[in-house]
Amino acid sequence: MVGREIEEVLNEMEKEYKYPLKYVEWFEALKKGKLLGLKCEDCGRVTCPPFSVCQKCGSKKLKPIELNGKGEIMTFTVIHTAPEGFNPPYIVCYVKMNEGPWIPGRLDLNVEAAEKEGVKLLGRKVELKGGAILPGDRHTGNVERVVPLFKLAE
Ligand SMILES: [Zn+2]
């Protein structure tokens, strides 16, 4: 026999990689307004969204935590020409969370009004508002996705 059976490989992966936080759990928490991450018990780095190993040291000793949802806009882009199923204009941003990780999300802001008023976004403090549900499409097999939705902190 050449190679291995798929069940054998899946069993090995199940034993090798224990997922302390699965994506489905992360999505469900985000829908309820909770941003979960994983804290490395070896080096202290917080990883978000979840991975099976620490993104700094590779440790598998990861403990689920809830992030406080507060951070700072590090970069952003305004989407004026959107893929099918999305309603432009909208803002996609990268936020450095207080706990350390940079995560992509949406910014809940009226783009046209903000552009008219000359609102500055780089470095602005934001907080999690909840989860923005993105509709499923032909590229996701009609499976909806959830991304963090931020709002400007006053
Ligand atoms: Zn680590």
Side-chain angles (χ1 to χ4, degrees), residues 40 43 54 57:
C40 177
C43 77
C54 173
C57 74

Side-chain angles (χ1 to χ4, degrees), residues 9 11 15 27 32 35 38 44 71-72 75 105 110:
V9 173
N11 284 339
K15 266 193 267 171
F27 285 139
K32 295 172 187 158
L35 186 59
L38 294 165
E72 176 183 344
T75 187
N110 181 318

Side-chain angles (χ1 to χ4, degrees), residues 39-45 54-59 61-62:
K39 185 165 187 165
C40 177
E41 293 180 352
D42 285 330
C43 77
R45 169 74 69 91
C54 173
Q55 297 301 288
K56 182 178 181 190
C57 74
S59 171
K61 291 188 213 157
L62 302 172

Side-chain angles (χ1 to χ4, degrees), residues 11-62:
N11 284 339
E12 185 177 308
M13 286 179 67
E14 182 74 27
K15 266 193 267 171
E16 182 70 18
Y17 297 104
K18 301 249 184 275
Y19 295 99
L21 178 61
K22 296 182 173 121
Y23 253 95
V24 65
E25 297 166 328
W26 191 76
F27 285 139
E28 290 305 316
L30 194 52
K31 280 185 188 176
K32 295 172 187 158
K34 289 183 177 186
L35 186 59
L36 301 181
L38 294 165
K39 185 165 187 165
C40 177
E41 293 180 352
D42 285 330
C43 77
R45 169 74 69 91
V46 174
T47 297
C48 177
F51 285 88
S52 57
V53 297
C54 173
Q55 297 301 288
K56 182 178 181 190
C57 74
S59 171
K60 294 176 187 170
K61 291 188 213 157
L62 302 172

Side-chain angles (χ1 to χ4, degrees), residues 46-142:
V46 174
T47 297
C48 177
F51 285 88
S52 57
V53 297
C54 173
Q55 297 301 288
K56 182 178 181 190
C57 74
S59 171
K60 294 176 187 170
K61 291 188 213 157
L62 302 172
K63 185 178 171 194
I65 62 164
E66 182 177 347
L67 282 70
N68 73 5
K70 295 180 179 169
E72 176 183 344
I73 296 175
M74 302 308 287
T75 187
F76 70 95
T77 188
V78 180
I79 306 296
H80 287 282
T81 305
E84 66 182 54
F86 292 82
N87 296 318
Y90 59 88
I91 299 171
V92 174
C93 56
Y94 249 95
V95 173
K96 181 181 180 187
M97 303 308 299
N98 285 356
E99 295 85 353
W102 289 35
I103 64 171
R106 292 281 188 92
L107 184 63
D108 185 36
L109 189 69
N110 181 318
V111 173
E112 286 152 357
E115 285 177 342
K116 201 176 285 182
E117 294 165 19
V119 172
K120 304 289 183 212
L121 294 178
L122 286 181
R124 291 285 300 271
K125 302 287 185 200
V126 292
E127 55 190 48
L128 187 73
K129 183 178 180 187
I133 296 177
L134 308 181
D137 58 28
R138 63 193 166 110
H139 304 292
T140 65
N142 288 320

